[in-house]
Amino acid sequence: MSDPDHRRKARPTMDLDLLIGRLEVTADKPDSKEPGLGSPVSPLMGQIPEGSASSSTTSSSGSSVTGKSTLSVKKPSDSGDSLKKPTDSGDSESVCTKRQVTGNILCSPDSRRNPVKAAATGLVVGQIPATGNVLPSGNIVPSGKVQPSSGKLQNLRGSRSDVLGSGTGNYGHGSVVRGGRAGGGGETMAGASGHINNVEEVKRKGNEEYRKGNMERALVHYERAIAMAPENAACHGNRAAALAGLGRVWEAVRECEEALRIDPTYLRVHQRLASLHLRLGQVENAWKHLCLAGNPPDSNELRRIQTVERHVNQCADARKVGDWKSALREGDAAIAAGAESCPQLFACRAEALLMLHRPEEADAALSSVQNFELSSTSLSLTKFFGMNGNSYLFFVRSQVDMTLGRFDQAVSAIERASQIDPRSSEIAAMANRARNVVRVRAKGNDLFNMGKFIEACVAYGEGLECDPSNPLLYCNRAACRAKLGQWERAIEDCNQALRFRPKYTKAILRRATYNGELEKWAEAVRDYEILRKELPGDSSVAEALFHAQVALKKSRGEDVHNMKFGGEVEAVSGREQFRAAISLPDLNRISGVSVVHFKASSNYQCEQISPFVDALCERYPFVNFLKVDINESPAVANAENVRIVPTFKIYKNGCRVKEMICPTEQVLEYSVRHYSL
């Protein structure tokens, strides 16, 4: 073997056959010229160190790759049983005897600079074709691991960007990579490594935001990770967790299902799906995924599912027998136990409230269902109270709309329910009822507008036969009977309407009016007072109440000559006048409330708010509005301890109940309305 100094000498120019001992390949050579030493790929006629085992299989990183190509070496006649070492070789350390060589060439850090030396070290990968122009068929990679040409690179850590064999030449069937791409096929080592590292970094950032509770930011990172690695189950699982934290439960379910498509054995996702299905009230699905999440199941989740299941079953039993109070109680208990995102339970709550004659509350309960996603395959296959999951929601929606007089919406909702679940007899009956009510109600309205009040009464009666609890039909028939002078029967219909809808203001107003026609002033005043609370800004209601109260006082023989309705803000200049104005409620206003505005004519804020006080005086005619100029009436200001203007004080039957210094218009009106009711 040459000494180090000799190895550093300039390499003499010679034929490659002289360096390797005139190796002969058993197959014909397709090319007339073999690649020279300057070629980026060795012709694989390299020398193997002496003493290495001859085998048809070579191992790399614990993996075996078998090849079938054979390299035949012919010994020179003057060398006996062994080849002589070339004396002029600066790179070769030994020569080969006849042996079999198999495997893939592994690219060491020096192999790119000296491919002949790489072959001489025995790092052989891939199958060697039995041809003269011997080229690699596998991937020459820098990790020292065997990588088939058809496989994907996994978790490679390369960082260099230079490429062995990059260019236009065909160096083999696979890719010779160092950090870019070349030849025929696989991913680049550095590109794949950087890609994987980027995905993990994006996931890490998302996890940090998730731990901080920043679900929106975490979701952005997880979605970026999915875009980079769409077949990564962990990325989909993380996105599902963020969506669940944002309350987007059905989206989280779909994301978990996608993660399980990629990895059906992902136990953590099964556990998450069990929790999500519980939130949706789908107990059977929750049981299924909880059992798949681990053995034995988590005890806390097990208890939650059992609790929700018990309340849901009891709610269904109560609904079946018409025990709506129990149905409402059990449904609320199931929601509190963990099914807080179940739209069917909220719909059941609305149905129970409707049957308990609380339609406005039922409508509010259904408004929360609008925030839930309804169109889902798994939901549509789930039965609730014997109906399809989605169809039950539209079934309840139709009932509420019918009670509140939204007939067109009611028909539309029940038709959608029929399309989803055409086999439900309960939905079919509701659909027929809704269509009949809409038809006869339109007929009755037409007859009423034509002045045919008797026929209109009959038409509304037909509608009540289809829907005996519809308050709008009762109220319309009351109007017909009032036109016929049938006051008592009209009041009866109003009572029936209010039985099913106690806050039906139109029925209350009509009943107050009909009681006035019968001079039942106490009943009329009671209804008008209810309306004044429901419609505090309605001047017509306030005026009707005033006249009813005046008539009631007259019927009792009381003095009413000083009673007045509405008017202007009254100016007060003396202490006696001020005390009388706030202490005698019946003298001026029936409500007994006085609002005093302490002002100064030279104050800008007082001038700004004075027009608004005049508007309040017209808006609340039962309130006694007064004004005191502290410069013109200092005695009143001193007696009431007023130092800053504008100051407002509210008195109830002579006693001060509220004081405000420089209030906003919103605060002032709220206080006036609050104390006048």
Side-chain angles (χ1 to χ4, degrees):
M1 182 176 292
S2 302
D3 57 62
D5 292 336
H6 178 70
R7 293 171 63 88
R8 286 192 292 269
K9 293 180 181 179
R11 179 180 301 161
T13 304
M14 62 182 65
D15 192 275
L16 183 60
D17 291 339
L18 295 178
L19 289 176
I20 63 175
R22 298 181 182 276
L23 297 175
E24 293 182 0
V25 181
T26 57
D28 294 334
K29 298 179 181 180
D31 298 327
S32 60
K33 182 179 179 181
E34 296 178 347
L37 291 174
S39 171
V41 179
S42 167
L44 300 186
M45 295 179 289
Q47 302 164 5
I48 300 176
E50 294 180 0
S52 49
S54 176
S55 173
S56 62
T57 304
T58 61
S59 298
S60 175
S61 301
S63 300
S64 296
V65 179
T66 302
K68 296 186 182 300
S69 299
T70 302
L71 201 68
S72 177
V73 181
K74 183 177 181 181
K75 303 176 183 178
S77 61
D78 57 349
S79 62
D81 294 333
S82 63
L83 294 174
K84 294 181 180 180
K85 299 179 182 178
T87 58
D88 57 350
S89 174
D91 291 334
S92 300
E93 297 179 357
S94 63
V95 294
C96 298
T97 60
K98 183 176 180 181
R99 60 195 300 144
Q100 289 183 335
V101 182
T102 60
N104 294 323
I105 296 181
L106 303 179
C107 183
S108 67
D110 294 331
S111 63
R112 181 178 176 272
R113 295 188 293 274
N114 198 337
V116 174
K117 183 177 179 180
T121 62
L123 300 176
V124 182
V125 248
Q127 296 179 352
I128 302 173
T131 62
N133 187 18
V134 184
L135 297 176
S137 62
N139 293 326
I140 301 181
V141 297
S143 66
K145 295 184 179 181
V146 174
Q147 181 63 41
S149 61
S150 61
K152 293 185 179 180
L153 299 179
Q154 298 180 354
N155 199 23
L156 301 181
R157 299 288 183 181
S159 60
R160 296 184 57 175
S161 60
D162 51 326
V163 180
L164 178 62
S166 60
T168 59
N170 183 6
Y171 299 109
H173 301 289
S175 298
V176 182
V177 295
R178 181 85 179 176
R181 292 184 179 178
E187 300 178 28
T188 68
M189 182 276 297
S193 175
H195 178 76
I196 294 172
N197 289 338
N198 288 340
V199 172
E200 294 300 323
E201 178 64 17
V202 172
K203 283 172 56 181
R204 185 188 63 78
K205 291 180 180 179
N207 293 342
E208 289 178 357
E209 297 293 346
Y210 184 90
R211 284 190 291 269
K212 294 176 183 178
N214 300 327
M215 299 301 171
E216 290 283 1
R217 294 180 181 178
L219 186 61
V220 172
H221 290 298
Y222 293 146
E223 288 174 347
R224 284 183 57 201
I226 291 174
M228 299 169 68
E231 292 299 309
N232 189 311
C235 293
H236 290 281
N238 288 354
R239 183 173 186 266
L243 289 169
L246 292 170
R248 295 157 63 176
V249 181
W250 268 115
E251 291 180 72
V253 169
R254 285 197 297 270
E255 205 64 37
C256 286
E257 291 173 348
E258 179 64 14
L260 290 179
R261 180 193 65 79
I262 299 169
D263 183 2
T265 63
Y266 201 161
L267 299 183
R268 195 169 187 178
V269 172
H270 280 296
Q271 186 176 13
R272 182 169 291 133
L273 262 179
S275 178
L276 292 172
H277 281 300
L278 180 64
R279 291 175 64 178
L280 292 168
Q282 298 188 2
V283 178
E284 292 184 3
N285 288 335
W287 276 120
K288 179 183 70 174
H289 288 285
L290 183 65
C291 293
L292 292 173
N295 190 17
D298 181 79
S299 59
N300 292 329
E301 285 296 306
L302 186 64
R303 283 193 295 270
R304 290 181 64 210
I305 294 176
Q306 289 173 338
T307 302
V308 171
E309 183 177 35
R310 182 177 69 254
H311 288 304
V312 169
N313 290 337
Q314 291 175 352
C315 176
D317 293 339
R319 181 185 182 274
K320 189 179 298 184
V321 298
D323 185 359
W324 296 108
K325 289 184 178 179
S326 296
L328 179 62
R329 182 180 63 252
E330 295 298 332
D332 288 346
I335 293 172
E340 72 275 5
S341 298
C342 178
Q344 286 73 25
L345 286 176
F346 281 92
C348 180
R349 188 176 196 276
E351 186 179 25
L353 289 169
L354 181 65
M355 297 304 173
L356 293 172
H357 311 318
R358 296 155 63 180
E360 287 79 12
E361 294 178 65
D363 194 37
L366 276 182
S367 65
S368 61
V369 177
Q370 296 175 359
N371 299 325
F372 298 139
E373 182 182 351
L374 305 182
S375 55
S376 173
T377 302
S378 55
L379 176 60
S380 63
L381 296 177
T382 305
K383 293 290 185 179
F384 282 85
F385 311 129
M387 282 182 253
N388 173 284
N390 281 349
S391 65
Y392 176 67
L393 301 177
F394 292 112
F395 173 77
V396 176
R397 176 81 269 173
S398 178
Q399 293 184 79
V400 173
D401 287 338
M402 286 282 290
T403 301
L404 295 177
R406 300 191 291 250
F407 293 102
D408 292 338
Q409 294 92 321
V411 172
S412 177
I414 199 61
E415 286 179 350
R416 290 193 64 184
S418 300
Q419 292 172 359
I420 297 171
D421 194 356
R423 297 182 180 181
S424 173
S425 59
E426 197 170 359
I427 292 176
M430 176 64 193
N432 291 332
R433 184 165 65 250
R435 296 187 189 100
N436 289 333
V437 168
V438 169
R439 178 180 56 80
V440 297
R441 179 239 183 186
K443 178 182 177 181
N445 289 349
D446 292 339
L447 292 170
F448 183 91
N449 293 332
M450 291 187 292
K452 299 180 179 181
F453 303 119
I454 296 177
E455 292 84 350
C457 280
V458 174
Y460 293 133
E462 292 177 4
L464 288 170
E465 291 178 0
C466 298
D467 188 5
S469 60
N470 192 286
L472 186 136
L473 296 178
Y474 280 114
C475 193
N476 286 1
R477 193 171 69 174
C480 292
R481 287 175 169 173
K483 290 292 184 179
L484 296 172
Q486 301 173 0
W487 306 113
E488 293 287 353
R489 299 188 68 182
I491 292 173
E492 290 176 2
D493 279 343
C494 289
N495 290 337
Q496 284 294 103
L498 292 169
R499 174 191 170 193
F500 297 110
R501 187 179 173 186
K503 294 183 179 181
Y504 193 6
T505 55
K506 183 178 287 187
I508 296 173
L509 179 60
R510 286 179 177 176
R511 187 173 66 178
T513 303
Y514 304 156
N515 277 318
E517 294 293 336
L518 294 174
E519 296 187 354
K520 296 181 178 180
W521 299 116
E523 291 84 350
V525 167
R526 183 182 64 236
D527 283 338
Y528 282 128
E529 286 178 342
I530 294 173
L531 289 171
R532 190 167 70 91
K533 293 179 180 180
E534 295 292 331
L535 307 169
D538 193 323
S539 59
S540 62
V541 171
E543 185 174 0
L545 174 58
F546 173 78
H547 292 301
Q549 288 179 324
V550 170
L552 178 60
K553 288 181 176 294
K554 285 183 178 180
S555 67
R556 294 174 178 174
E558 299 178 12
D559 185 11
V560 297
H561 72 280
N562 285 326
M563 293 181 64
K564 61 181 180 180
F565 177 78
E568 299 178 353
V569 180
E570 181 180 356
V572 176
S573 57
R575 292 183 60 183
E576 296 298 329
Q577 181 186 6
F578 176 80
R579 183 52 53 188
I582 64 174
S583 300
L584 300 175
D586 284 348
L587 183 64
N588 296 297
R589 295 292 189 275
I590 298 173
S591 66
V593 176
S594 297
V595 178
V596 183
H597 176 202
F598 293 91
K599 56 175 289 189
S601 57
S602 60
N603 185 276
Y604 176 76
Q605 288 181 293
C606 293
E607 294 300 322
Q608 287 291 312
I609 202 169
S610 291
F612 182 70
V613 177
D614 294 336
L616 291 179
C617 183
E618 296 180 0
R619 199 174 302 165
Y620 299 92
F622 288 104
V623 177
N624 187 27
F625 285 88
L626 308 172
K627 58 183 177 181
V628 177
D629 192 314
I630 62 172
N631 295 326
E632 297 177 0
S633 306
V636 177
N638 291 334
E640 296 299 317
N641 195 26
V642 176
R643 298 289 183 269
I644 302 174
V645 292
T647 293
F648 289 86
K649 294 189 178 185
I650 299 178
Y651 299 85
K652 182 83 170 179
N653 296 329
C655 299
R656 187 179 64 200
V657 293
K658 181 78 172 180
E659 180 175 354
M660 297 166 285
I661 298 175
C662 302
T664 63
E665 293 180 356
Q666 292 79 4
V667 171
L668 179 59
E669 182 170 12
Y670 173 81
S671 300
V672 171
R673 181 171 63 250
H674 174 73
Y675 288 103
S676 65
L677 296 178

